[in-house]
Coordinates of all heavy atoms in Angstrom, one line a residue:
M1 N 29.5 9.1 -14.1 CA 29.4 10.5 -14.3 C 29.7 10.8 -15.8 O 29.2 11.8 -16.3 CB 30.1 11.3 -13.4 CG 29.9 12.8 -13.5 SD 30.6 13.7 -12.2 CE 32.0 14.3 -12.9
L2 N 30.5 10.0 -16.4 CA 30.9 10.3 -17.8 C 29.8 9.9 -18.8 O 29.8 10.5 -19.9 CB 32.3 9.7 -18.1 CG 33.5 10.2 -17.5 CD1 34.7 9.4 -17.8 CD2 33.7 11.6 -17.8
V3 N 29.0 9.0 -18.4 CA 28.0 8.5 -19.3 C 27.0 9.7 -19.7 O 26.7 9.9 -20.9 CB 27.3 7.3 -18.8 CG1 26.1 6.9 -19.6 CG2 28.2 6.2 -18.6
P4 N 26.4 10.4 -18.8 CA 25.5 11.5 -19.2 C 26.2 12.6 -20.0 O 25.6 13.2 -20.9 CB 25.0 12.1 -17.8 CG 25.2 11.1 -16.8 CD 26.4 10.3 -17.3
L5 N 27.5 12.9 -19.7 CA 28.2 13.8 -20.5 C 28.4 13.3 -21.9 O 28.3 14.1 -22.9 CB 29.6 14.1 -19.8 CG 30.4 15.3 -20.3 CD1 29.6 16.6 -20.2 CD2 31.7 15.4 -19.6
A6 N 28.7 12.0 -22.1 CA 28.9 11.4 -23.4 C 27.6 11.4 -24.1 O 27.5 11.7 -25.3 CB 29.4 10.0 -23.3
L7 N 26.4 11.3 -23.4 CA 25.1 11.3 -24.1 C 24.8 12.8 -24.6 O 24.3 12.9 -25.7 CB 24.0 10.9 -23.1 CG 23.9 9.4 -22.8 CD1 22.9 9.1 -21.7 CD2 23.5 8.7 -24.0
A8 N 25.1 13.7 -23.8 CA 24.9 15.1 -24.2 C 25.8 15.5 -25.4 O 25.3 16.1 -26.3 CB 25.2 16.1 -23.1
F9 N 27.1 15.1 -25.4 CA 27.9 15.3 -26.5 C 27.5 14.5 -27.7 O 27.4 15.1 -28.9 CB 29.4 15.0 -26.1 CG 30.4 15.3 -27.2 CD1 30.6 16.6 -27.5 CD2 30.9 14.3 -27.9 CE1 31.6 16.9 -28.5 CE2 31.8 14.6 -28.9 CZ 32.2 15.9 -29.2
G10 N 27.0 13.3 -27.5 CA 26.6 12.5 -28.7 C 25.3 13.1 -29.3 O 25.1 13.1 -30.5
A11 N 24.4 13.7 -28.4 CA 23.2 14.3 -28.9 C 23.5 15.5 -29.7 O 22.9 15.8 -30.8 CB 22.2 14.6 -27.8
L12 N 24.5 16.3 -29.3 CA 24.9 17.5 -30.1 C 25.5 17.1 -31.4 O 25.2 17.7 -32.5 CB 25.9 18.3 -29.3 CG 25.4 19.1 -28.1 CD1 26.5 19.7 -27.4 CD2 24.4 20.2 -28.7
V13 N 26.4 16.0 -31.4 CA 26.9 15.6 -32.7 C 25.8 15.0 -33.6 O 25.8 15.3 -34.8 CB 28.0 14.5 -32.4 CG1 28.5 13.8 -33.7 CG2 29.2 15.2 -31.7
L14 N 24.9 14.3 -33.1 CA 23.8 13.7 -33.8 C 22.9 14.9 -34.4 O 22.5 14.8 -35.5 CB 22.9 12.8 -32.9 CG 21.8 12.1 -33.6 CD1 22.3 11.2 -34.7 CD2 21.0 11.4 -32.6
T15 N 22.7 16.0 -33.6 CA 22.0 17.1 -34.1 C 22.7 17.7 -35.3 O 22.0 18.0 -36.3 CB 21.8 18.2 -33.0 OG1 21.1 17.6 -32.0 CG2 21.0 19.3 -33.5
A16 N 24.0 17.9 -35.2 CA 24.7 18.5 -36.3 C 24.7 17.6 -37.6 O 24.5 18.1 -38.7 CB 26.1 18.7 -35.9
L17 N 24.9 16.3 -37.4 CA 24.8 15.4 -38.6 C 23.4 15.3 -39.2 O 23.3 15.3 -40.5 CB 25.3 14.0 -38.1 CG 26.7 13.9 -37.8 CD1 27.0 12.4 -37.2 CD2 27.6 14.1 -38.9
L18 N 22.4 15.3 -38.4 CA 21.1 15.2 -38.9 C 20.6 16.5 -39.7 O 20.0 16.5 -40.7 CB 20.0 14.8 -37.9 CG 20.1 13.4 -37.4 CD1 19.2 13.2 -36.2 CD2 19.8 12.4 -38.5
A19 N 21.1 17.6 -39.1 CA 20.8 18.9 -39.7 C 21.5 19.1 -41.0 O 21.0 19.7 -42.0 CB 21.2 20.1 -38.8
E20 N 22.7 18.5 -41.1 CA 23.5 18.5 -42.4 C 22.8 17.8 -43.4 O 22.8 18.2 -44.6 CB 24.9 18.1 -42.1 CG 25.8 18.0 -43.4 CD 27.1 17.4 -43.1 OE1 27.5 17.2 -41.9 OE2 27.8 17.2 -44.1
R21 N 22.2 16.6 -43.0 CA 21.5 15.8 -44.1 C 20.0 16.2 -44.3 O 19.3 15.5 -44.9 CB 21.6 14.3 -43.6 CG 23.0 13.8 -43.7 CD 22.9 12.3 -43.3 NE 24.1 11.7 -43.5 CZ 24.6 11.1 -44.6 NH1 23.8 11.0 -45.6 NH2 25.7 10.5 -44.6
R22 N 19.6 17.4 -43.7 CA 18.3 18.0 -43.8 C 17.2 17.1 -43.3 O 16.1 17.1 -43.8 CB 18.0 18.3 -45.3 CG 19.0 19.2 -45.9 CD 18.5 20.0 -47.1 NE 19.5 20.7 -47.8 CZ 19.9 21.9 -47.4 NH1 19.4 22.5 -46.3 NH2 20.8 22.6 -48.1
H23 N 17.5 16.4 -42.2 CA 16.5 15.7 -41.4 C 16.0 16.6 -40.3 O 16.5 16.5 -39.2 CB 17.0 14.4 -40.9 CG 17.3 13.3 -41.9 ND1 16.3 12.6 -42.5 CD2 18.5 12.9 -42.5 CE1 16.9 11.7 -43.4 NE2 18.2 11.9 -43.4
R24 N 15.2 17.5 -40.6 CA 14.9 18.6 -39.6 C 14.1 18.1 -38.4 O 14.4 18.5 -37.3 CB 14.1 19.7 -40.3 CG 14.9 20.5 -41.3 CD 14.1 21.6 -41.8 NE 14.9 22.3 -42.9 CZ 14.7 22.2 -44.1 NH1 13.7 21.5 -44.5 NH2 15.5 22.8 -45.0
L25 N 13.2 17.2 -38.6 CA 12.4 16.7 -37.5 C 13.3 15.8 -36.5 O 13.3 15.9 -35.3 CB 11.2 15.8 -38.0 CG 10.2 15.4 -36.9 CD1 9.6 16.6 -36.2 CD2 9.2 14.5 -37.5
A26 N 14.1 15.0 -37.1 CA 15.1 14.1 -36.3 C 16.1 15.0 -35.6 O 16.5 14.7 -34.5 CB 15.7 13.1 -37.2
A27 N 16.5 16.1 -36.3 CA 17.5 17.0 -35.6 C 16.9 17.7 -34.5 O 17.5 17.9 -33.4 CB 18.1 18.0 -36.6
G28 N 15.6 18.1 -34.6 CA 14.9 18.7 -33.5 C 14.7 17.8 -32.3 O 14.8 18.2 -31.1
A29 N 14.5 16.5 -32.6 CA 14.4 15.5 -31.5 C 15.7 15.3 -30.8 O 15.8 15.1 -29.7 CB 13.9 14.2 -32.2
A30 N 16.8 15.4 -31.6 CA 18.2 15.2 -31.0 C 18.5 16.4 -30.1 O 19.1 16.2 -29.1 CB 19.2 15.0 -32.1
V31 N 18.0 17.6 -30.5 CA 18.1 18.8 -29.7 C 17.4 18.6 -28.3 O 17.9 19.0 -27.2 CB 17.6 20.0 -30.4 CG1 17.5 21.2 -29.4 CG2 18.6 20.4 -31.5
L32 N 16.2 17.9 -28.3 CA 15.5 17.6 -27.1 C 16.3 16.7 -26.2 O 16.1 16.7 -25.0 CB 14.1 17.0 -27.4 CG 13.1 18.0 -27.9 CD1 11.8 17.2 -28.2 CD2 12.7 19.0 -26.8
L33 N 17.1 15.8 -26.8 CA 17.9 14.9 -26.0 C 19.0 15.6 -25.2 O 19.5 15.0 -24.2 CB 18.5 13.8 -26.8 CG 17.4 12.8 -27.3 CD1 18.1 11.8 -28.3 CD2 16.7 12.1 -26.2
V34 N 19.5 16.7 -25.6 CA 20.5 17.4 -24.9 C 20.1 17.8 -23.5 O 20.9 17.5 -22.5 CB 21.1 18.6 -25.7 CG1 22.1 19.5 -24.9 CG2 21.6 18.2 -27.0
P35 N 19.0 18.5 -23.2 CA 18.7 18.9 -21.8 C 18.3 17.6 -21.0 O 18.6 17.6 -19.8 CB 17.5 19.8 -21.9 CG 17.0 19.8 -23.3 CD 18.1 19.2 -24.1
V36 N 17.9 16.5 -21.6 CA 17.6 15.3 -20.9 C 18.9 14.7 -20.4 O 19.1 14.4 -19.2 CB 16.9 14.3 -21.8 CG1 16.8 12.9 -21.2 CG2 15.5 14.8 -22.1
A37 N 20.0 14.7 -21.3 CA 21.2 14.3 -20.8 C 21.9 15.1 -19.8 O 22.5 14.7 -18.8 CB 22.2 14.1 -22.1
L38 N 21.7 16.5 -19.9 CA 22.2 17.4 -18.9 C 21.5 17.2 -17.6 O 22.1 17.4 -16.5 CB 22.1 18.8 -19.3 CG 23.1 19.2 -20.5 CD1 22.8 20.6 -20.9 CD2 24.5 19.0 -20.1
T39 N 20.3 16.9 -17.6 CA 19.5 16.5 -16.3 C 20.1 15.3 -15.7 O 20.3 15.2 -14.5 CB 18.0 16.5 -16.5 OG1 17.6 17.6 -17.2 CG2 17.3 16.3 -15.3
Y40 N 20.4 14.3 -16.5 CA 21.0 13.1 -16.0 C 22.4 13.4 -15.4 O 22.8 12.8 -14.4 CB 21.1 12.0 -17.0 CG 19.8 11.3 -17.4 CD1 19.6 11.0 -18.7 CD2 18.9 11.1 -16.4 CE1 18.3 10.4 -19.0 CE2 17.7 10.5 -16.7 CZ 17.5 10.1 -18.0 OH 16.3 9.5 -18.3
L41 N 23.1 14.3 -16.0 CA 24.5 14.7 -15.5 C 24.3 15.4 -14.1 O 25.1 15.2 -13.2 CB 25.1 15.7 -16.5 CG 26.5 16.2 -16.0 CD1 27.5 15.1 -15.9 CD2 27.0 17.2 -17.1
D42 N 23.2 16.2 -14.0 CA 22.9 16.9 -12.7 C 22.6 15.9 -11.7 O 23.0 16.1 -10.5 CB 21.8 17.9 -12.9 CG 21.6 18.8 -11.8 OD1 22.7 19.1 -11.1 OD2 20.5 19.4 -11.6
I43 N 21.9 14.9 -12.0 CA 21.6 13.9 -11.1 C 22.8 13.1 -10.6 O 23.0 12.8 -9.4 CB 20.5 12.9 -11.6 CG1 19.1 13.6 -11.8 CG2 20.3 11.7 -10.8 CD1 18.1 12.9 -12.6
A44 N 23.7 12.9 -11.5 CA 24.9 12.2 -11.2 C 25.8 13.1 -10.3 O 26.5 12.6 -9.4 CB 25.7 11.8 -12.5
L45 N 25.8 14.4 -10.5 CA 26.6 15.3 -9.7 C 26.1 15.4 -8.3 O 26.8 15.8 -7.4 CB 26.7 16.7 -10.4 CG 27.6 16.8 -11.6 CD1 27.4 18.1 -12.2 CD2 29.0 16.5 -11.2
E46 N 24.8 15.2 -8.1 CA 24.2 15.3 -6.7 C 24.9 14.2 -5.8 O 24.9 14.5 -4.6 CB 22.7 15.1 -6.8 CG 22.0 16.3 -7.2 CD 20.4 16.1 -7.0 OE1 20.0 15.1 -6.4 OE2 19.7 16.9 -7.5
S47 N 25.3 13.1 -6.3 CA 25.9 12.1 -5.4 C 27.4 12.5 -5.0 O 27.9 11.9 -4.1 CB 25.9 10.8 -6.1 OG 26.8 10.8 -7.3
L48 N 28.0 13.5 -5.6 CA 29.3 13.9 -5.2 C 29.3 14.9 -4.1 O 28.3 15.6 -3.9 CB 30.0 14.5 -6.5 CG 30.2 13.7 -7.7 CD1 30.8 14.4 -8.8 CD2 31.1 12.5 -7.4
A49 N 30.4 15.0 -3.4 CA 30.5 16.0 -2.4 C 30.9 17.3 -3.0 O 32.1 17.5 -3.5 CB 31.6 15.6 -1.4
L50 N 30.0 18.2 -3.1 CA 30.2 19.5 -3.8 C 30.4 20.7 -2.8 O 30.0 20.5 -1.6 CB 29.0 19.9 -4.7 CG 28.8 19.0 -5.8 CD1 27.5 19.4 -6.6 CD2 30.0 19.0 -6.8
P51 N 31.1 21.7 -3.2 CA 31.3 22.8 -2.2 C 29.9 23.4 -1.8 O 28.9 23.3 -2.5 CB 32.1 23.9 -3.0 CG 32.4 23.3 -4.3 CD 31.7 22.0 -4.4
P52 N 29.8 24.0 -0.6 CA 28.6 24.5 -0.2 C 27.9 25.6 -1.1 O 26.7 25.7 -1.1 CB 28.8 25.1 1.2 CG 30.3 24.9 1.5 CD 30.9 24.3 0.3
Y53 N 28.7 26.4 -1.8 CA 28.1 27.4 -2.6 C 27.4 26.9 -3.8 O 26.7 27.6 -4.5 CB 29.1 28.5 -3.0 CG 30.3 27.9 -3.8 CD1 30.3 27.7 -5.1 CD2 31.5 27.6 -3.1 CE1 31.3 27.2 -5.8 CE2 32.6 27.1 -3.8 CZ 32.5 26.9 -5.2 OH 33.5 26.4 -5.9
A54 N 27.7 25.6 -4.2 CA 27.1 25.0 -5.4 C 25.6 24.8 -5.1 O 24.8 25.0 -6.1 CB 27.8 23.7 -5.7
G55 N 25.2 24.4 -4.0 CA 23.8 24.1 -3.7 C 23.2 22.9 -4.4 O 23.9 22.2 -5.0
R56 N 21.9 22.8 -4.3 CA 21.2 21.6 -4.9 C 20.9 22.0 -6.4 O 20.6 23.2 -6.7 CB 19.9 21.4 -4.2 CG 20.1 20.7 -2.9 CD 18.8 20.4 -2.3 NE 18.1 19.4 -3.0 CZ 16.8 19.1 -2.9 NH1 16.1 19.7 -2.0 NH2 16.2 18.2 -3.6
G57 N 21.0 21.1 -7.3 CA 20.7 21.3 -8.7 C 21.7 22.2 -9.4 O 21.5 23.3 -9.6
V58 N 22.9 21.7 -9.5 CA 24.0 22.4 -10.0 C 23.8 23.0 -11.4 O 24.0 24.1 -11.6 CB 25.3 21.5 -10.0 CG1 26.5 22.3 -10.4 CG2 25.5 21.0 -8.5
L59 N 23.4 22.2 -12.3 CA 23.3 22.6 -13.7 C 21.9 23.0 -14.1 O 21.6 24.1 -14.5 CB 23.8 21.5 -14.7 CG 25.3 21.3 -14.5 CD1 25.7 20.1 -15.4 CD2 26.1 22.5 -14.9
V60 N 21.1 22.0 -14.2 CA 19.8 22.2 -14.8 C 18.6 22.2 -13.9 O 17.7 23.0 -14.1 CB 19.6 21.0 -15.8 CG1 18.2 21.1 -16.5 CG2 20.7 21.0 -16.8
T61 N 18.6 21.5 -12.8 CA 17.4 21.3 -12.0 C 17.4 22.3 -10.8 O 16.5 22.1 -9.9 CB 17.4 19.9 -11.4 OG1 18.5 19.6 -10.7 CG2 17.2 18.9 -12.5
A62 N 18.2 23.3 -10.8 CA 18.1 24.3 -9.7 C 16.8 25.0 -9.7 O 16.3 25.3 -8.6 CB 19.2 25.3 -9.9
A63 N 16.2 25.3 -10.8 CA 14.9 25.9 -10.9 C 13.8 25.1 -10.3 O 12.9 25.6 -9.7 CB 14.6 26.4 -12.3
S64 N 13.9 23.8 -10.5 CA 12.8 22.9 -10.0 C 12.9 22.8 -8.4 O 11.9 22.5 -7.8 CB 12.9 21.6 -10.6 OG 14.1 20.9 -10.3
H65 N 14.1 23.0 -7.9 CA 14.3 22.9 -6.4 C 13.9 24.2 -5.7 O 13.8 24.2 -4.5 CB 15.6 22.5 -6.1 CG 16.0 21.1 -6.4 ND1 15.4 20.0 -6.0 CD2 17.0 20.6 -7.3 CE1 15.8 18.9 -6.5 NE2 16.9 19.3 -7.3
A66 N 13.8 25.3 -6.5 CA 13.6 26.6 -5.9 C 12.2 26.7 -5.3 O 12.0 27.3 -4.2 CB 13.7 27.7 -7.0
A67 N 11.1 26.1 -5.9 CA 9.8 26.2 -5.3 C 9.5 24.9 -4.7 O 9.1 23.9 -5.3 CB 8.8 26.5 -6.4
A68 N 9.7 24.8 -3.3 CA 9.4 23.6 -2.6 C 8.0 23.3 -2.4 O 7.6 22.1 -2.2 CB 10.1 23.7 -1.2
S69 N 7.1 24.3 -2.5 CA 5.7 24.1 -2.3 C 5.0 23.4 -3.5 O 3.9 22.8 -3.4 CB 5.0 25.4 -2.1 OG 5.1 26.2 -3.2
L70 N 5.6 23.4 -4.7 CA 5.1 22.8 -5.8 C 5.4 21.2 -5.8 O 6.4 20.8 -5.3 CB 5.7 23.4 -7.1 CG 5.3 24.8 -7.4 CD1 6.1 25.3 -8.6 CD2 3.8 25.0 -7.6
P71 N 4.5 20.5 -6.4 CA 4.8 19.0 -6.4 C 6.0 18.8 -7.3 O 6.2 19.5 -8.3 CB 3.5 18.4 -7.0 CG 2.8 19.5 -7.7 CD 3.3 20.8 -7.0
A72 N 6.7 17.7 -7.1 CA 7.9 17.3 -7.8 C 7.4 16.5 -9.1 O 7.1 15.4 -9.0 CB 8.8 16.5 -6.9
V73 N 7.4 17.3 -10.2 CA 7.0 16.6 -11.4 C 8.2 16.4 -12.3 O 8.0 16.0 -13.5 CB 5.9 17.4 -12.1 CG1 4.6 17.5 -11.3 CG2 6.3 18.8 -12.5
G74 N 9.3 16.7 -11.8 CA 10.6 16.7 -12.6 C 10.8 15.3 -13.3 O 11.0 15.3 -14.6
P75 N 10.8 14.2 -12.6 CA 11.0 12.9 -13.2 C 10.0 12.6 -14.3 O 10.3 12.1 -15.4 CB 11.0 11.9 -12.1 CG 11.3 12.7 -10.9 CD 10.7 14.1 -11.1
A76 N 8.7 12.9 -14.1 CA 7.6 12.6 -15.1 C 7.8 13.5 -16.3 O 7.7 13.0 -17.4 CB 6.3 12.9 -14.5
V77 N 8.2 14.8 -16.2 CA 8.4 15.6 -17.3 C 9.7 15.2 -18.1 O 9.7 15.1 -19.3 CB 8.6 17.1 -16.9 CG1 9.0 18.0 -18.0 CG2 7.3 17.6 -16.3
L78 N 10.7 14.8 -17.3 CA 11.9 14.3 -18.0 C 11.6 13.1 -18.8 O 12.1 12.9 -19.9 CB 13.0 14.0 -16.9 CG 14.3 13.5 -17.4 CD1 15.0 14.5 -18.2 CD2 15.2 13.1 -16.2
A79 N 10.9 12.1 -18.2 CA 10.6 10.9 -19.0 C 9.7 11.2 -20.2 O 9.9 10.6 -21.2 CB 9.9 9.9 -18.0
G80 N 8.8 12.1 -20.0 CA 7.9 12.5 -21.2 C 8.7 13.2 -22.3 O 8.5 12.9 -23.4
V81 N 9.6 14.1 -21.9 CA 10.4 14.8 -23.0 C 11.3 13.7 -23.6 O 11.5 13.8 -24.9 CB 11.2 15.9 -22.3 CG1 12.3 16.4 -23.3 CG2 10.3 17.0 -21.9
E82 N 11.9 12.8 -22.9 CA 12.8 11.8 -23.5 C 12.0 10.9 -24.4 O 12.4 10.6 -25.5 CB 13.4 11.0 -22.4 CG 14.5 10.1 -22.8 CD 15.2 9.3 -21.7 OE1 14.8 9.5 -20.6 OE2 16.2 8.7 -22.0
L83 N 10.8 10.5 -24.0 CA 10.0 9.7 -24.9 C 9.6 10.4 -26.2 O 9.6 9.8 -27.3 CB 8.7 9.2 -24.1 CG 7.8 8.3 -24.9 CD1 8.5 7.0 -25.2 CD2 6.5 8.0 -24.1
V84 N 9.1 11.6 -26.1 CA 8.8 12.4 -27.2 C 10.0 12.6 -28.1 O 9.9 12.5 -29.4 CB 8.2 13.8 -26.8 CG1 8.2 14.7 -28.0 CG2 6.8 13.6 -26.2
A85 N 11.2 12.8 -27.6 CA 12.4 12.9 -28.4 C 12.7 11.7 -29.2 O 13.0 11.8 -30.4 CB 13.6 13.4 -27.5
Y86 N 12.6 10.5 -28.5 CA 12.9 9.3 -29.2 C 11.8 9.0 -30.3 O 12.2 8.6 -31.4 CB 12.9 8.1 -28.2 CG 14.2 8.1 -27.4 CD1 14.1 7.9 -26.0 CD2 15.4 8.4 -27.9 CE1 15.2 7.8 -25.2 CE2 16.6 8.4 -27.1 CZ 16.5 8.1 -25.8 OH 17.5 8.1 -25.0
L87 N 10.6 9.3 -30.0 CA 9.5 9.1 -31.0 C 9.7 10.0 -32.2 O 9.6 9.6 -33.4 CB 8.2 9.3 -30.4 CG 7.7 8.2 -29.5 CD1 6.4 8.6 -28.8 CD2 7.6 6.9 -30.2
L88 N 10.0 11.3 -32.0 CA 10.3 12.2 -33.1 C 11.5 11.8 -33.9 O 11.6 12.0 -35.1 CB 10.4 13.7 -32.6 CG 9.1 14.3 -32.1 CD1 9.4 15.7 -31.5 CD2 8.2 14.5 -33.3
L89 N 12.5 11.3 -33.2 CA 13.7 10.8 -33.9 C 13.4 9.7 -34.9 O 13.8 9.7 -36.0 CB 14.8 10.4 -32.9 CG 16.2 10.1 -33.4 CD1 16.8 11.4 -33.9 CD2 17.0 9.6 -32.2
V90 N 12.6 8.8 -34.4 CA 12.2 7.6 -35.3 C 11.4 8.1 -36.4 O 11.5 7.7 -37.6 CB 11.5 6.6 -34.5 CG1 10.8 5.5 -35.3 CG2 12.5 5.9 -33.5
V91 N 10.4 8.9 -36.1 CA 9.4 9.5 -37.1 C 10.2 10.3 -38.1 O 10.0 10.2 -39.4 CB 8.3 10.2 -36.5 CG1 7.5 11.0 -37.6 CG2 7.4 9.3 -35.8
G92 N 11.2 11.1 -37.7 CA 11.9 11.9 -38.5 C 12.9 11.2 -39.5 O 13.2 11.6 -40.6
L93 N 13.3 10.0 -39.0 CA 14.2 9.2 -39.9 C 13.5 8.2 -40.8 O 13.9 8.1 -41.9 CB 15.2 8.4 -39.0 CG 16.3 9.3 -38.3 CD1 17.1 8.4 -37.4 CD2 17.1 10.0 -39.3
V94 N 12.4 7.6 -40.3 CA 11.7 6.6 -41.0 C 10.7 7.3 -42.0 O 10.5 6.9 -43.1 CB 11.0 5.6 -40.1 CG1 10.1 4.7 -40.9 CG2 12.0 4.9 -39.3
G95 N 10.0 8.4 -41.5 CA 9.0 9.0 -42.3 C 9.4 9.8 -43.4 O 8.6 10.3 -44.2
R96 N 10.7 10.0 -43.6 CA 11.2 10.8 -44.7 C 11.1 10.0 -46.0 O 11.1 10.7 -47.1 CB 12.7 11.1 -44.4 CG 13.3 12.0 -45.4 CD 14.4 12.8 -44.8 NE 15.1 13.6 -45.8 CZ 14.9 14.9 -46.0 NH1 14.1 15.5 -45.3 NH2 15.6 15.5 -46.9
Y97 N 11.2 8.7 -46.0 CA 11.2 8.0 -47.3 C 9.8 7.3 -47.5 O 9.3 6.6 -46.7 CB 12.2 6.8 -47.2 CG 13.6 7.3 -46.9 CD1 14.2 7.2 -45.6 CD2 14.3 8.0 -47.9 CE1 15.4 7.7 -45.4 CE2 15.6 8.5 -47.6 CZ 16.1 8.3 -46.4 OH 17.4 8.8 -46.1
P98 N 9.1 7.7 -48.6 CA 7.9 7.1 -48.9 C 8.0 5.6 -49.2 O 9.0 5.1 -49.7 CB 7.4 7.9 -50.1 CG 8.6 8.4 -50.8 CD 9.6 8.6 -49.7
Q99 N 7.0 4.9 -48.9 CA 7.0 3.5 -49.2 C 6.8 3.2 -50.7 O 6.0 3.8 -51.3 CB 5.9 2.7 -48.4 CG 6.1 2.7 -47.0 CD 4.9 2.0 -46.2 OE1 3.9 1.7 -46.8 NE2 5.2 1.5 -45.0
R100 N 7.6 2.3 -51.2 CA 7.5 2.0 -52.6 C 6.4 0.9 -52.8 O 6.3 0.0 -52.0 CB 8.9 1.5 -53.1 CG 9.9 2.6 -53.0 CD 11.2 2.2 -53.5 NE 12.2 3.3 -53.3 CZ 13.4 3.1 -53.5 NH1 13.9 1.9 -53.9 NH2 14.2 4.1 -53.3
A101 N 5.8 1.0 -53.9 CA 4.7 0.0 -54.3 C 5.5 -1.3 -54.7 O 6.4 -1.3 -55.4 CB 3.8 0.5 -55.4
E102 N 4.9 -2.4 -54.2 CA 5.4 -3.7 -54.6 C 5.1 -4.0 -56.1 O 3.9 -3.7 -56.5 CB 4.8 -4.8 -53.7 CG 5.3 -4.6 -52.2 CD 6.7 -5.0 -52.1 OE1 7.2 -6.0 -52.8 OE2 7.4 -4.5 -51.2
P103 N 6.0 -4.6 -56.8 CA 5.7 -4.9 -58.2 C 4.6 -6.1 -58.2 O 4.6 -7.0 -57.4 CB 7.0 -5.4 -58.8 CG 7.9 -5.6 -57.7 CD 7.4 -4.9 -56.5
A104 N 3.6 -6.0 -59.1 CA 2.6 -7.0 -59.2 C 3.0 -8.3 -59.8 O 3.8 -8.7 -60.3 CB 1.4 -6.4 -59.9

């Protein structure tokens, strides 16, 4: 249960560090990783015995459990957001520096 919390905190720290160095695209990608980590924290909390008033989806996924008639697209959306965040993080860090021409 501590791993998703550490991921969320690490994503916040990474966002602050990247924004300070003016890597805006990479900082935006790190912001996308925060709700992904919080969703993983919510999944980890589902395995615990919680009080009855807490209900399903304690932190993030309560809205997705509210409409039972809709198909469950939560895991696919979560994986898509996580993939986009990682790709934007790489593009934001690597794409900032232009390639230098090799000497002839």
Side-chain angles (χ1 to χ4, degrees):
M1 184 166 103
L2 291 177
V3 173
L5 191 60
L7 285 173
F9 183 69
L12 285 174
V13 170
L14 183 65
T15 301
L17 291 174
L18 289 171
E20 179 184 350
R21 294 186 174 263
R22 302 202 188 277
H23 292 282
R24 291 187 184 106
L25 187 62
V31 168
L32 283 176
L33 290 175
V34 174
V36 170
L38 289 177
T39 306
Y40 287 143
L41 179 65
D42 193 27
I43 292 169
L45 286 175
E46 280 187 10
S47 65
L48 299 176
L50 296 174
Y53 59 83
R56 290 182 63 193
V58 180
L59 294 175
V60 180
T61 58
S64 66
H65 292 301
S69 63
L70 296 175
V73 296
V77 170
L78 180 66
V81 168
E82 188 174 8
L83 181 63
V84 165
Y86 288 136
L87 288 174
L88 285 176
L89 189 63
V90 169
V91 168
L93 291 174
V94 174
R96 185 154 172 101
Y97 305 105
Q99 290 182 343
R100 295 182 183 170
E102 294 287 327

